[in-house]
Amino acid sequence: MQGTLELLILKTLSHESMHGYGIAQRIHQSVDDLLKIEDGSLYPALYRMEERGWIASEWGVSENNRRAKFYKLTRAGRKHLDAERANWDRISRAVTKVLQTA
Amino acid sequence: MRDLTRRLFNPLGSEAIEREVEEELRFHLESLTEQYLQHADTFEEARASALRRFGDVEQVTDECVEISKRKRPFMRALKSFFILIFLAGIFVRIFGTELHVDRFGTMLITVAVMGRLFLYVRGLNPAGFRPKSDPSSSLILNSRAKTPASLFDADNL
């Protein structure tokens, strides 16, 4: 689904900065086996989002003392998250309505 | 040797970018492998599970490198500049003998080779972690999950 993965990433990063593995873990926990997400697919999405200015990255040290690249949400990313979230709610309500009435 | 030549003369060379991307993906794959090791009998089994969950490492690496390259026009320009200097040096060496400027040509060639070598060494990546795995869709509904998700048609996603 177009933009869904980006929305999941933005939401995951809305509380704290995380490395790619941490983002994948958090998303897997959140979707609770409903969605199958290949971890690798996160990275092109992360790189594209950084290119668009929604997230920023910097190298740091992980919880097990290894070098890892951390991502954090930018102000533009937070705005985009709010907009996409509203958009998602609207689409979700519309589809649910159609499914219930058709 | 062919790889070295390719890297030295590739105007869009991306050793530093590749190194960064591979380091980032390696961290992910190693963390995943460690996670699966808690339940797997062997390291190979854990690694295979990690690669299955990750997807096509090579494709992901290539995509990320391509996107990163777009963000670093300066490095591309610098590499192209060294190649131009190198070609100019050769030109001066060949046609500058009568004007006694062939030493200048040698100097240009040396500067170009040293500069390009510096960029190459800076971007060296001694260990790659790019095995292949089966490519598949990156984000699909899990049809085996016992949830209302089966209401939706996964083919349309």
Side-chain angles (χ1 to χ4, degrees):
Chain A
M1 283 179 283
Q2 191 69 34
T4 310
L5 187 56
E6 290 173 352
L7 183 57
L8 295 178
I9 293 171
L10 287 171
K11 174 63 186 155
T12 306
L13 289 174
S14 63
H15 299 298
E16 56 179 327
S17 63
M18 298 174 99
H19 46 65
Y21 173 69
I23 296 170
Q25 289 296 93
R26 184 66 61 84
I27 290 177
H28 280 293
Q29 285 165 9
S30 303
V31 299
D32 196 23
D33 210 29
L34 284 172
L35 291 170
K36 278 166 77 177
I37 300 168
E38 283 187 340
D39 287 13
S41 66
L42 291 176
Y43 288 94
L46 283 167
Y47 279 59
R48 272 193 294 270
M49 289 163 71
E50 189 176 13
E51 192 183 24
R52 289 169 189 160
W54 298 339
I55 56 174
S57 69
E58 63 178 349
W59 287 90
V61 180
S62 74
E63 52 285 351
N64 46 6
N65 269 336
R66 282 155 65 180
R67 218 169 92 87
K69 198 173 177 184
F70 286 79
Y71 295 90
K72 65 177 178 186
L73 211 58
T74 61
R75 191 176 292 181
R78 200 166 288 280
K79 275 187 184 173
H80 186 73
L81 171 61
D82 293 341
E84 283 301 303
R85 200 170 169 170
N87 200 29
W88 178 265
D89 286 342
R90 208 166 47 244
I91 292 170
S92 174
R93 277 202 308 274
V95 172
T96 306
K97 206 168 181 179
V98 170
L99 287 173
Q100 285 171 347
T101 54
Chain B
M1 188 64 193
R2 263 174 63 185
D3 186 53
L4 176 73
T5 315
R6 182 183 63 80
R7 279 170 175 256
L8 286 176
F9 291 96
N10 178 9
L12 300 177
S14 51
E15 315 83 53
I17 295 172
E18 275 182 30
R19 187 192 59 184
E20 255 196 38
V21 170
E22 288 184 357
E23 185 176 357
E24 183 175 20
L25 301 188
R26 196 179 316 119
F27 169 79
H28 191 123
L29 283 163
E30 287 173 0
S31 301
L32 261 184
T33 305
E34 279 170 23
Q35 178 190 326
Y36 282 114
L37 258 178
Q38 293 169 1
H39 308 288
D41 294 328
T42 63
F43 176 80
E44 285 70 26
E45 203 179 301
R47 186 182 150 99
S49 299
L51 286 169
R52 255 196 312 278
R53 182 169 133 177
F54 192 90
D56 191 334
V57 181
E58 194 162 356
Q59 188 188 332
V60 170
T61 307
D62 289 345
E63 273 187 62
C64 292
V65 169
E66 276 308 308
I67 298 166
S68 287
K69 270 193 213 168
R70 297 202 294 252
K71 290 187 290 186
R72 300 186 191 191
F74 175 72
M75 286 301 286
R76 288 160 62 185
L78 192 61
K79 284 167 186 172
S80 301
F81 175 72
F82 281 134
I83 289 171
L84 281 176
I85 293 279
F86 181 78
L87 293 174
I90 289 178
F91 183 83
V92 171
R93 282 281 296 167
I94 294 171
F95 299 105
T97 315
E98 289 176 8
L99 299 170
H100 305 291
V101 289
D102 49 333
R103 272 192 180 179
F104 181 63
T106 309
M107 198 176 78
L108 285 178
I109 292 171
T110 309
V111 168
V113 170
M114 294 301 283
R116 194 64 190 86
L117 269 175
F118 170 75
L119 292 180
Y120 171 71
V121 172
R122 186 175 161 271
L124 268 182
N125 179 27
F129 193 158
R130 300 172 65 166
K132 286 188 176 183
S133 65
D134 295 332
S136 57
S137 172
S138 59
L139 180 63
I140 56 171
L141 283 176
N142 186 359
S143 55
R144 282 181 289 185
K146 294 171 184 171
T147 65
S150 54
L151 283 171
F152 299 92
D153 183 5
D155 293 336
N156 293 331
L157 299 177

